Amino acid sequence: MTTGGPNEPRRDVAALPDLLDGQAGAGPVRSRRPVYLDLLPPCNAGCPAGENIQAWLAQIHAGRPEAAWRVLVQDNPLPAIHGRVCYHPCESVCNRAELDSAVSIHGVERFLGDLALERGWCFDPPAAPSGRRVLVVGGGPSGLSAAYHLARLGHAVEIRDASDEPGGMMRYGIPAYRLPRDVLAGEIDRIAALGVRITCGHQVTDLAAEQRDGGFDAVFVAVGAHLSKRVDIPAREAGRIVDAVSFLHSVASGERPEIGRRVAVYGGGNTAMDAARVARRLGAEEALIVYRRTRGQMPAHPEEAEDAEREGVRINWLRTIAAVDGPELTVEVMELDRSGRPRGTGRFETLAADTVILALGQTTDAGFLHRVPGVDFTADGTVVVSPSLMTGCPGVFAGGDMVPSERTVTVGVGHGKKAARHIDAYLRRAVVTRPAKHDVVTFDRLHPWYFGAAPRRDQVELEPAARIADFTEVVGGLDGEQATYEAGRCLSCGNCFECDGCLGACPETAIIKLGAGNRYRIDLDRCTGCAECHDQCPVHAIEMVPEQQGVADQ
């Protein structure tokens, strides 16, 4: 267990006697004594990008938004994007939800990201040039994150991407009503301003040649899952069947494909929901999702399905497409067996659809890696990597959609940060060492009586009828007052926020206040180990530990 604030170096509790008053002279005999410590808040622990969420929430609550943004971008260079498209697993584990509702972490993150774009905040200058060059293959979230962190460490980085513009699936898979393109461009431009070179329209086919000819000392491969999985469906007119990735890519590129009045989307993931919602915006009067399992088994995030249904998309559960015959679909009704797997019932229904969009999952185009010695693949085609994200070929790392993991923007950004750390160590011939993580503080360890009711501030949203008229962003942001209020709802789980409760509770005046930002010190000559400070601490920033032999005897 260690001590230190969210932005301070961690210290071992075993070293605390050297940091506390009262180590000389006779003191009270006690079985336990209090120590200040820092635990890991569940939001920090739940963030795939490894953000120090509690620290930047504290900064904005204190009226320092730029300082908050700078803490945030130490881990994640894309806050305006994440504040819009991340599924915020941090909020799913927020202890505040046990009181009323989770802190709107993604709303505050979006506010900071948008404010930085509005005010033109730039990243801190990178470290001195290292003389090393790194190639990043793929300009999606994972590649951009890796390039950013590597550039900050002083390495020369070039991203090579096959698409016309960078961003990967953030640009070509996430529709503009969820992620406006000016926001995407602004955050990518800021990474380029660090000196990262971004080369688009360049498909890597021979990795060894690219590395050799470019003089690159290491490679990070982060090609997104841009290839749709296919399924054989008997069809009279195959031209009426399109894959969701190609459909979304064409729309994102400015095309407006003819889809007719009735569209059926086959699949139950987030891509299926986006395809159906885009179809509505292209003029489809009816958009229907056909999914072979139940709502509870659906891979799409619940909020994505709810948004789709609010916009008029109908979802047919426990159905599978058996055939496409002209403007009609034949679907088989499914049922779940004892293990919860769907099976056919032999009962069929007919549905009308002018276009069928297949959204059955995606794979990466990793064929060029098959020619790289030492690179192995799993049964599902993802790349085998070590805990450092290095493949079996020394100096070649992989992350994002290419490796076994959840395929989200936030996971990809986290992989990029992790890969950059290990690539830097590889180039320096060093070993990455990470301190042990602190215990996660759970709600039952807090004293919530300290915190009053504070209803969550919700973001405004367009009405469903207005949404489907065009690709205008659906969800609005928090303003400065709302963002500061939300940050103030944070319970500061496991970390002292200087409420002075311990100072007022101590009957022996053994707590010494050290001034704003410096917390407190314990005078062990006065402390009797009564635990009053521990019992009242609202955030469990004080722990009672057994008295060390020798200290009590002094």
Side-chain angles (χ1 to χ4, degrees):
M1 192 169 292
T2 57
T3 73
N7 300 312
E8 299 173 355
R10 305 300 192 188
R11 300 189 292 267
D12 289 338
V13 165
L16 276 171
D18 297 329
L19 304 173
L20 301 177
D21 279 348
Q23 297 307 296
V29 177
R30 53 189 172 258
S31 61
R32 297 184 304 161
R33 61 184 176 87
V35 296
Y36 289 97
L37 49 83
D38 287 283
L39 297 175
L40 183 61
C43 56
N44 290 24
C47 177
E51 292 181 14
N52 191 348
I53 294 169
Q54 191 181 91
W56 55 257
L57 285 176
Q59 290 285 1
I60 190 170
H61 183 242
R64 298 186 288 266
E66 184 173 355
W69 178 78
R70 295 197 180 279
V71 171
L72 199 167
V73 298
Q74 288 177 15
D75 300 301
N76 176 9
L78 307 171
I81 293 171
H82 278 246
R84 289 170 164 85
V85 305
C86 178
Y87 294 109
H88 38 81
C90 53
E91 295 183 24
S92 300
V93 294
C94 176
N95 280 331
R96 179 91 209 191
E98 299 287 343
L99 286 180
D100 38 41
S101 57
V103 175
S104 182
I105 297 169
H106 76 284
V108 181
E109 182 169 19
R110 170 176 167 169
F111 167 77
L112 289 174
D114 287 352
L115 190 65
L117 292 173
E118 176 189 324
R119 297 187 178 178
W121 295 339
C122 298
F123 295 134
D124 293 334
S130 68
R132 299 304 185 97
R133 289 171 50 77
V134 181
L135 171 64
V136 175
V137 182
S142 196
L144 289 166
S145 172
Y148 162 76
H149 288 286
L150 287 164
R152 290 182 65 204
L153 293 166
H155 305 303
V157 186
E158 180 176 351
I159 296 173
R160 294 181 179 174
D161 190 275
S163 298
D164 294 334
E165 296 184 80
M169 291 300 285
M170 293 188 298
R171 181 181 300 277
Y172 295 108
I174 300 177
Y177 60 80
R178 289 177 55 203
L179 177 57
R181 295 309 182 244
D182 60 333
V183 173
L184 176 64
E187 299 217 303
I188 293 176
D189 288 347
R190 194 164 46 214
I191 293 174
L194 275 180
V196 174
R197 181 179 179 183
I198 302 177
T199 302
C200 291
H202 183 125
Q203 181 154 5
V204 172
T205 57
D206 187 335
L207 188 61
E210 300 264 354
Q211 185 174 4
R212 181 187 64 247
D213 297 344
F216 294 106
D217 301 292
V219 178
F220 178 58
V221 184
V223 178
H226 293 264
L227 300 180
S228 287
K229 294 180 179 179
R230 305 290 296 186
V231 64
D232 291 328
I233 299 176
R236 179 188 298 180
E237 299 176 43
R240 294 180 48 253
I241 302 177
V242 299
D243 71 81
V245 174
S246 298
F247 172 69
L248 293 173
H249 189 289
S250 67
V251 174
S253 301
E255 300 176 20
R256 292 296 180 264
E258 293 290 336
I259 56 174
R261 294 190 308 108
R262 297 166 298 189
V263 173
V265 180
Y266 192 24
N270 296 317
T271 300
M273 304 302 156
D274 277 333
R277 295 175 70 184
V278 167
R280 290 284 285 153
R281 285 161 174 79
L282 293 180
E285 297 174 10
E286 297 179 13
L288 172 71
I289 288 176
V290 179
Y291 181 54
R292 64 197 302 263
R293 298 177 183 268
T294 65
R295 180 183 285 270
Q297 296 170 318
M298 173 184 64
H301 288 84
E303 63 194 68
E304 291 293 329
E306 291 164 6
D307 279 339
E309 289 178 314
R310 278 198 291 267
E311 293 175 10
V313 175
R314 292 190 298 116
I315 303 178
N316 268 19
W317 311 103
L318 289 171
R319 300 291 188 277
T320 187
I321 297 179
V324 178
D325 189 6
E328 293 184 341
L329 304 179
T330 300
V331 300
E332 183 175 8
V333 178
M334 310 296 284
E335 65 181 8
L336 300 182
D337 62 19
R338 290 183 178 179
S339 65
R341 301 184 62 180
R343 64 183 179 189
T345 63
R347 304 193 308 273
F348 295 89
E349 298 173 347
T350 300
L351 303 173
D354 299 305
T355 299
V356 177
I357 301 174
L358 303 181
L360 302 170
Q362 296 104 250
T363 60
T364 58
D365 186 6
F368 67 97
L369 283 179
H370 286 275
R371 296 187 292 276
V372 178
V375 176
D376 295 321
F377 294 82
T378 65
D380 65 357
T382 53
V383 178
V384 176
V385 291
S386 71
S388 69
L389 295 180
M390 188 159 71
T391 68
C393 180
V396 177
F397 297 75
D401 294 348
M402 300 204 71
V403 303
S405 64
E406 185 181 2
R407 289 176 170 175
T408 69
V409 170
T410 312
V411 168
V413 166
H415 284 183
K417 183 178 74 170
K418 180 179 180 179
R421 185 168 66 243
H422 286 283
I423 290 170
D424 176 67
Y426 171 81
L427 295 175
R428 292 186 295 104
R429 293 179 171 81
V431 176
V432 173
T433 57
R434 302 288 290 175
K437 288 187 177 182
H438 299 169
D439 293 337
V440 176
V441 59
T442 51
F443 182 76
D444 62 318
R445 302 176 75 176
L446 307 179
H447 294 138
W449 53 263
Y450 178 89
F451 303 99
R456 176 179 168 124
R457 296 293 185 262
D458 292 323
Q459 295 166 258
V460 297
E461 299 185 16
L462 292 178
E463 291 297 323
R467 294 182 184 190
I468 61 175
D470 54 32
F471 285 82
T472 299
E473 187 170 17
V474 167
V475 180
L478 301 175
D479 62 26
E481 181 180 349
Q482 292 171 322
T484 302
Y485 169 88
E486 276 300 314
R489 297 180 66 238
C490 172
L491 303 182
S492 193
C493 304
N495 293 279
C496 174
F497 65 106
E498 300 181 11
C499 69
D500 286 350
C502 56
L503 188 67
C506 179
E508 308 297 337
T509 63
I511 307 295
I512 302 170
K513 189 176 176 69
L514 300 179
N518 295 313
R519 301 188 177 183
Y520 310 91
R521 187 173 64 197
I522 301 171
D523 183 345
L524 291 183
D525 280 337
R526 292 176 175 273
C527 177
T528 62
C530 69
E532 289 291 335
C533 55
H534 165 272
D535 292 344
Q536 65 72 46
C537 180
V539 299
H540 201 100
I542 301 173
E543 186 63 271
M544 301 300 296
V545 300
E547 181 66 86
Q548 292 186 355
Q549 184 67 32
V551 173
D553 296 336
Q554 290 178 357

